[in-house]
Amino acid sequence: MTDTKTAYLSEQLAELKEQGLFNTIRTIESPMDGRIRVDGEDVLNFCANNYLGLANHPRLREAAKRAIDQYGIGPGAVRTIAGTMTVHNQLEARLAEFKGAEAVITFQSGFTANLATIPALVGRGDIIFSDQLNHASIIDGCRLSRAQIVAYEHNNVDDLRRKIAETTEYGRRIIITDGVFSMDGDIAPLPDLYEVAREHDILLMVDDAHGEGVLGHGGRGIVDHFDLHGKVDIEVGTMSKAFGAVGGIVAGTQVIIDWLRQRGRPFLFSSAMTVPDAAACLEAVDMLESSDELVKRLWSNAEFFKTELRNMGFDTGHSQTPIVPVMLGEAPLAQQFSRKLFEAGVFAMAIGFPTVPQGKARIRVMNTAAHSQDDLEQALAAFESVGKALGVIA
Ligand SMILES: *Cc1c(COP(=O)(O)O)cnc(C)c1O
């Protein structure tokens, strides 16, 4: 049926399909893990941000079930109105201790953590210096704030200094960067950004979504990784990636966290994480505090995979983390590569424009601690045969 009111949407959807940019979402028929069942096929999974394999870990499953028996499922209303549950308070206290921060506030997701934090800290007449490759949720948070947004070149501290020097009229200022950039797996030069922020007395905020549970001692995050405790004003994180559940984190000084409890709009106008999510995340903190085994396995798996891909002749870009881009160039080649990998039993996503620039299409490999050595070798064999069949490697 054609409807004139929505014809513009039908046209745009058709256009996306023509350009090969239409998202088709696969259905997962098993728990999220190193091996999963996708659209009826058993495959090795290199798509998920489930870095530590916690999404289906027996300890998290048990913790969530116990918490349901004690507290039920949902929080019932926003925390400022119906009160907050013990489990959420415990989670925030334990996260602060784990990360070595003064205080922590949790949100429903990393996305809402950014939407809450940025507009609470800056507004009209203020300036945000934002890395040009920052995550969509940072960009949206910046726009919501109505502050002036000044994008600086990716990870380029000299360009940031120039942009700061060029702006003379402002109220407050903040520098915001991703910690780990999710498409290339490179890490922000946080110590240099801290120097700039300190010199100019500018707030510094890092979104460590892909570093939470991955970087730092036992997964304590990017601030711990660079030993910048007490120097980065705001560290945003997520519990939807390495922590295997869902939920957003903001760690910082007591005054910032107190302010977010008063003025973070997704905190005031949207209900908290569910009980099983909060309890599962608490268990994840327990596990990470008692052992760094999973984090170590994640990094050794990633190192092995990256080294072997390079030895085969693949271009893995400038990855410094378990995110490994296999650079292929044009989007149709990347899509064909991904399809052939799937036929060979490996689920790894092709990523093209507009998520990455034109001509920089790639397969993005997400390494995890959930893969065995056999899994890695089987996946590498698939990359080698598909790479040769498509003429990507010799
Ligand atoms: C994934 C991601 C988010 C969103 O986290 P969710 O908890 O899934 O909402 C925010 N920021 C960055 C940098 C991310 O990579």
Side-chain angles (χ1 to χ4, degrees):
M1 198 183 80
T2 54
D3 184 332
T4 50
K5 288 197 297 294
T6 53
Y8 72 109
L9 298 178
S10 314
E11 280 160 25
Q12 290 180 78
L13 284 168
E15 218 170 278
L16 286 179
K17 284 178 186 161
E18 255 165 53
Q19 295 166 346
L21 298 175
F22 184 83
N23 267 327
T24 314
I25 300 172
R26 299 226 189 232
T27 305
I28 314 287
E29 297 141 3
S30 66
M32 190 48 79
D33 223 324
R35 285 176 180 269
I36 54 175
R37 192 166 178 83
V38 185
D39 292 333
E41 303 286 335
D42 290 314
V43 290
L44 282 164
N45 178 22
F46 285 89
C47 289
N49 304 321
N50 180 25
Y51 288 109
L52 302 177
L54 295 182
N56 185 38
H57 196 283
R59 281 186 56 178
L60 272 72
R61 292 169 66 127
E62 284 309 314
K65 288 180 202 169
R66 278 196 310 272
I68 289 173
D69 288 340
Q70 193 175 356
Y71 297 104
I73 310 290
V78 300
R79 293 165 71 179
T80 48
I81 291 178
T84 195
M85 286 173 156
T86 316
V87 65
H88 294 91
N89 285 339
Q90 280 172 342
L91 177 61
E92 288 169 346
R94 291 292 306 282
L95 281 169
E97 206 179 310
F98 175 65
K99 295 178 66 61
E102 261 180 41
V104 159
I105 179 172
T106 56
F107 290 92
Q108 304 80 4
S109 70
F111 203 108
T112 55
N114 279 322
L115 296 193
T117 304
I118 302 167
L121 296 176
V122 289
R124 223 186 278 282
D126 299 336
I127 296 187
I128 299 167
F129 299 98
S130 175
D131 187 289
Q132 79 184 101
L133 294 189
N134 275 346
H135 188 261
S137 57
I138 297 179
I139 296 171
D140 287 6
C142 291
R143 288 178 180 157
L144 271 177
S145 77
R146 296 186 171 90
Q148 183 192 342
I149 301 161
V150 177
Y152 62 90
E153 284 172 24
H154 174 53
N155 279 353
N156 186 337
V157 178
D158 293 333
D159 189 53
L160 171 62
R161 283 184 189 281
R162 266 194 302 276
K163 298 263 158 74
I164 290 172
E166 281 165 11
T167 52
T168 50
E169 277 187 40
Y170 46 79
R172 283 171 288 268
R173 295 178 294 174
I174 186 169
I175 299 167
I176 308 181
T177 184
D178 268 31
V180 174
F181 289 84
S182 61
M183 291 302 140
D184 292 287
D186 52 339
I187 301 177
L190 204 58
D192 297 339
L193 294 173
Y194 165 67
E195 280 310 317
V196 176
R198 191 184 54 80
E199 273 166 39
H200 296 273
D201 205 24
I202 303 178
L203 284 167
L204 177 60
M205 167 169 158
V206 63
D207 177 353
D208 196 33
H210 283 278
E212 203 75 71
V214 174
L215 291 178
H217 299 101
R220 283 166 174 77
I222 192 168
V223 168
D224 186 85
H225 172 81
F226 284 119
D227 200 14
L228 289 169
H229 297 281
K231 294 177 173 170
V232 176
D233 298 292
I234 306 109
E235 186 183 20
V236 172
T238 181
M239 294 175 279
S240 70
K241 291 175 175 139
F243 278 56
V246 73
I249 304 172
V250 181
T253 51
Q254 191 67 51
V255 64
I256 289 175
I257 304 308
D258 285 349
W259 180 243
L260 292 177
R261 284 187 203 282
Q262 302 301 316
R263 284 293 179 271
R265 288 170 68 82
F267 186 82
L268 300 175
F269 298 104
S270 182
S271 297
M273 299 166 68
T274 68
V275 167
D277 284 320
C281 291
L282 252 177
E283 189 70 15
V285 177
D286 263 351
M287 287 179 65
L288 288 174
E289 276 190 336
S290 61
S291 163
D292 61 359
E293 185 200 325
L294 288 175
V295 179
K296 283 200 169 132
R297 193 186 310 157
L298 163 68
W299 282 90
S300 74
N301 278 359
E303 264 331 298
F304 175 72
F305 209 87
K306 215 185 300 191
T307 307
E308 293 297 309
L309 282 175
R310 281 185 190 142
N311 290 344
M312 287 174 195
F314 285 108
D315 172 3
T316 57
H318 359 266
S319 163
Q320 299 169 275
T321 61
I323 301 172
V324 182
V326 178
M327 307 303 290
L328 294 168
E330 296 309 319
L333 174 61
Q335 283 178 351
Q336 195 185 7
F337 204 110
S338 175
R339 273 196 304 276
K340 284 192 170 292
L341 281 176
F342 194 79
E343 285 163 18
V346 176
F347 185 33
M349 195 52 82
I351 297 187
F353 184 78
T355 311
V356 294
Q358 298 270 16
K360 299 248 181 202
R362 65 199 65 186
I363 299 287
R364 188 177 64 150
V365 177
M366 302 302 290
N367 285 284
T368 77
H371 297 119
S372 67
Q373 184 66 20
D374 276 355
D375 293 343
L376 299 180
E377 285 171 14
Q378 189 185 325
L380 284 163
F383 268 89
E384 187 165 33
S385 71
V386 175
K388 284 181 176 163
L390 295 180
V392 176
I393 54 170

